[in-house]
Amino acid sequence: MASLDRKLQTCCTSSGLLRPCSMDRLTSLPDELVTRILSMLPTRDAAATQVVSKRMSRAFCWITTVDLDDSPVSHLVERFSLFEPFIDNVLHKLSQSQQPLTRFRLCLGADKTMRTCFFKSHTCKRACFPEPARLHAWISYPLAQCGLRELDLRFHLKNPAESKLPPEIFARQSLEVLRLDINFEINGDTDIPVICLPNLKLLHLRSLVFAEDDFVTRLVSNCPALEDLSITCWWLKAGSLIISSNSLRRFVFDIFKYENEEENSDLVLIDTPNLQYFNYSDNLAFNYILHLNDLVEACIYVSHPLQFGTFETSFRKQLSLARALSNVKHLSLLRWSIEGFYYAAKVKDPLPMFRNLRSLKLGTLCDSLCSARWDLVLLLIFHRSSLLEELVFEEGFFYPGGRTCDYHDPNYSHAAPYEAAWEAASWGITQTIPSCGETHLKRIRIYNCCGRDRELNMIRFLLGNTPILKEFVISMSKGPYGIGYDAPKFDQFKNKLEEIPRASNSCSIIYSDDEPAWLC
């Protein structure tokens, strides 16, 4: 496709029209092959080939894929002064051929983040959004075609309340892939009375606003072949998330609460016995019922504890969430998700044995008390993960907002001296080297390291108890309390690290500027 695009560039004249080159090979190809090539191109590029010859103009009418994106990434799109009339002309011409359509993609406006594109706080100033009637006609075009297998829509309207999503989208039996990144509100049975997607395998919903929490439950239950589900949307009210599917393999759930960011859901029930990847981002729910028997990878991002409950109650809910992940091989616990482990260490409420866990990514301990007690949490995890090979501190060791955290006091470096903090007799674990550290742990990575003495003590313990460690990577923090931009302090910290005794003779410390993937 790149060679075809370069050929079209060489055919451009100063007048902006395309003419066939003397060595033109495209027009000499069979009609069927030409149509397949044009169908694989962005529609704006495929449409530009019509000026080459009448044959190319006829071939364009038989394309089976429509890809309309107003992003000015190609020189060819500059040939169309207005994108809206271009869409009208393309769809009008294609409708005359009555060619079955397999894929339709429509993207308007720049790709934005969830929080800046919510329908009541949209700040886009571009005049590129169509009238509701015009937009409805564009969306309705693929729904009227036979054989549609993939539908991809992305647009954020300034006044989404004036438009409604065509309910036919959720009743196309031929659909296999459905991606919606739109800031429309869906009001359950009223807007979408019928859901029938028997062949749908991939469903990605982004920026939608759910007025009723049972719509997602009803949607999944009517997709018997669904394998990949991603929901990154707004929830008007906290309720219950109930997902039951035997076919689901991948599930991403990332919800923003509209009225109250700290509001907790009543129940999260996920019955997906064949699920392999689970990414859950929400506030802590009051109850969890999870059946995840074949889970391979999980990422848990809990933002807030229970709003109207004690910390003990919140910790117990976190432990119930952790127990459902006991079979996982790769686990990420970010933000508040790790706090329950501290509670388990203190009250002897045992964590499950993570017998299959190979890779573990940990967030920081957010609570002011817990942030000083990594010793309890880390040793407990080590003794429950006998096969652990990789350990990553995804958010650093300490939370900048914690009251006991030494970020706020330059002179505060020994709030919890780790030389004495590894006394664990009170919670039943001795100071013996964890088995995973002796025989399996090979890679350790620390992000957002600020160069404080408390971090040095943590690193001293890790380096001194991992005899087969191969890689120890540190990414220095460049924030207001970090030393990433302070060369003298960084050199001083580096010298201290090099003096730390290491149990592994083959391990070297590597310094990196990379940021964790969740920040990129």
Side-chain angles (χ1 to χ4, degrees):
M1 294 307 98
S3 61
L4 175 60
D5 194 51
R6 288 193 296 270
K7 180 181 285 295
L8 294 177
Q9 293 183 41
T10 60
C11 293
C12 292
T13 63
S14 58
S15 62
L17 299 178
L18 297 177
R19 294 184 302 185
C21 300
S22 57
M23 296 299 292
D24 179 26
R25 298 179 181 178
L26 183 61
T27 56
S28 63
L29 297 175
D31 291 345
E32 182 180 356
L33 184 55
V34 171
T35 302
R36 290 182 60 184
I37 292 175
L38 294 182
S39 296
M40 298 174 68
L41 288 174
T43 302
R44 61 175 180 269
D45 294 346
T49 63
Q50 295 180 85
V51 300
V52 173
S53 65
K54 291 183 178 180
R55 178 172 179 265
M56 294 300 298
S57 181
R58 291 193 301 269
F60 174 75
C61 295
W62 293 96
I63 61 175
T64 59
T65 297
V66 176
D67 187 347
L68 298 165
D69 191 340
D70 72 339
S71 302
V73 297
S74 170
H75 65 284
L76 294 173
V77 78
E78 299 173 359
R79 200 165 277 110
F80 307 103
S81 58
L82 294 175
F83 194 62
E84 290 181 349
F86 168 65
I87 297 179
D88 291 336
N89 293 333
V90 167
L91 298 186
H92 175 71
K93 187 166 187 177
L94 294 179
S95 64
Q96 295 177 341
S97 67
Q98 298 183 348
Q99 170 73 11
L101 191 66
T102 60
R103 180 177 181 267
F104 184 87
R105 179 173 179 265
L106 175 62
C107 297
L108 301 175
D111 189 15
K112 301 178 184 303
T113 61
M114 280 287 303
R115 296 188 182 273
T116 60
C117 285
F118 185 40
F119 71 111
K120 289 193 175 182
S121 61
H122 188 47
T123 57
C124 181
K125 298 181 179 179
R126 292 182 60 188
C128 60
F129 297 94
E131 295 297 325
R134 199 173 198 174
L135 179 62
H136 188 272
W138 293 348
I139 301 175
S140 299
Y141 170 78
L143 300 177
Q145 308 302 310
C146 298
L148 184 65
R149 295 198 300 267
E150 183 173 347
L151 180 62
D152 188 345
L153 303 177
R154 192 200 74 206
F155 45 81
H156 293 175
L157 304 186
K158 292 182 179 179
N159 298 303
E162 299 178 359
S163 301
K164 292 293 183 181
L165 196 64
E168 296 82 4
I169 290 179
F170 296 96
R172 285 304 305 264
Q173 298 190 17
S174 61
L175 270 182
E176 298 177 2
V177 175
L178 177 59
R179 295 185 178 92
L180 299 178
D181 184 353
I182 54 181
N183 58 339
F184 285 10
E185 180 179 337
I186 293 183
N187 194 352
D189 297 339
T190 303
D191 296 336
I192 313 294
V194 177
I195 300 177
C196 183
L197 298 166
N199 295 303
L200 194 68
K201 297 181 180 180
L202 183 146
L203 175 61
H204 288 184
L205 304 178
R206 188 173 185 267
S207 305
L208 285 163
V209 182
F210 296 132
E212 298 179 5
D213 52 2
D214 63 345
F215 172 75
V216 174
T217 302
R218 189 163 60 95
L219 180 60
V220 174
S221 63
N222 286 277
C223 300
L226 189 62
E227 298 179 358
D228 188 334
L229 174 63
S230 178
I231 302 174
T232 306
C233 299
W234 290 88
W235 219 261
L236 287 185
K237 61 178 181 180
S240 299
L241 173 68
I242 300 176
I243 299 293
S244 179
S245 173
N246 290 326
S247 62
L248 203 60
R249 300 292 189 274
R250 188 178 188 275
F251 180 30
V252 176
F253 182 76
D254 190 0
I255 287 296
F256 303 108
K257 303 299 189 333
Y258 171 52
E259 293 292 346
N260 189 341
E261 284 292 328
E262 298 183 5
E263 193 173 8
N264 304 99
S265 299
D266 296 327
L267 170 67
V268 174
L269 190 157
I270 301 176
D271 184 11
T272 52
N274 296 308
L275 194 69
Q276 296 181 354
Y277 177 81
F278 180 46
N279 190 318
Y280 175 81
S281 178
D282 193 11
N283 301 331
L284 191 66
F286 283 97
N287 294 287
Y288 288 97
I289 302 176
L290 306 179
H291 299 150
L292 309 170
N293 301 332
D294 290 339
L295 199 62
V296 176
E297 183 176 357
C299 180
I300 308 299
Y301 187 104
V302 175
S303 300
H304 297 284
L306 298 180
Q307 193 173 15
F308 302 105
T310 63
F311 279 105
E312 178 179 345
T313 303
S314 295
F315 291 156
R316 289 190 182 276
K317 300 302 180 184
Q318 286 176 305
L319 291 179
S320 68
L321 178 58
R323 291 188 181 98
L325 309 173
S326 60
N327 293 325
V328 73
K329 293 182 179 180
H330 308 279
L331 178 62
S332 298
L333 297 171
L334 303 179
R335 196 52 59 95
W336 216 78
S337 309
I338 194 67
E339 299 290 340
F341 287 49
Y342 170 77
Y343 169 80
K346 293 294 292 181
V347 302
K348 302 180 182 179
D349 189 349
L351 282 175
M353 290 296 297
F354 294 94
R355 295 180 176 86
N356 300 320
L357 191 63
R358 300 303 197 272
S359 173
L360 177 63
K361 296 181 180 180
L362 296 175
T364 186
L365 290 166
C366 302
D367 181 72
S368 58
L369 173 64
C370 298
S371 63
R373 301 309 303 269
W374 260 114
D375 52 318
L376 298 180
V377 174
L378 194 56
L379 280 178
L380 180 62
I381 292 175
F382 276 173
H383 282 275
R384 295 288 176 176
S385 311
S386 58
L387 300 181
L388 189 64
E389 298 178 357
E390 180 183 39
L391 178 62
V392 180
F393 294 89
E394 192 84 351
E395 299 171 320
F397 284 136
F398 305 109
Y399 180 59
R403 290 191 299 275
T404 63
C405 182
D406 55 3
Y407 287 74
H408 298 287
D409 186 352
N411 299 317
Y412 183 64
S413 59
H414 286 282
Y418 281 91
E419 294 84 355
W422 301 107
E423 297 177 359
S426 61
W427 41 286
I429 295 180
T430 65
Q431 281 186 290
T432 58
I433 298 173
S435 59
C436 69
E438 282 188 297
T439 59
H440 289 86
L441 195 58
K442 300 176 182 178
R443 292 177 296 276
I444 297 177
R445 176 148 200 167
I446 303 171
Y447 287 101
N448 198 36
C449 186
C450 293
R452 302 304 174 96
D453 288 344
R454 295 172 65 193
E455 294 169 317
L456 280 172
N457 291 324
M458 283 284 293
I459 295 173
R460 182 177 292 109
F461 170 80
L462 293 172
L463 289 177
N465 291 281
T466 50
I468 66 169
L469 193 66
K470 302 298 182 183
E471 298 177 5
F472 195 94
V473 183
I474 298 179
S475 297
M476 304 304 299
S477 171
K478 296 182 180 179
Y481 302 102
I483 60 175
Y485 294 119
D486 193 326
K489 290 184 178 179
F490 174 74
D491 292 338
Q492 184 179 8
F493 177 74
K494 184 177 179 180
N495 292 334
K496 292 181 179 179
L497 286 182
E498 297 297 334
E499 295 174 356
I500 294 178
R502 306 172 198 177
S504 173
N505 296 327
S506 60
C507 176
S508 60
I509 299 177
I510 302 173
Y511 302 93
S512 172
D513 293 330
D514 294 342
E515 292 184 341
W518 65 275
L519 284 178
C520 298

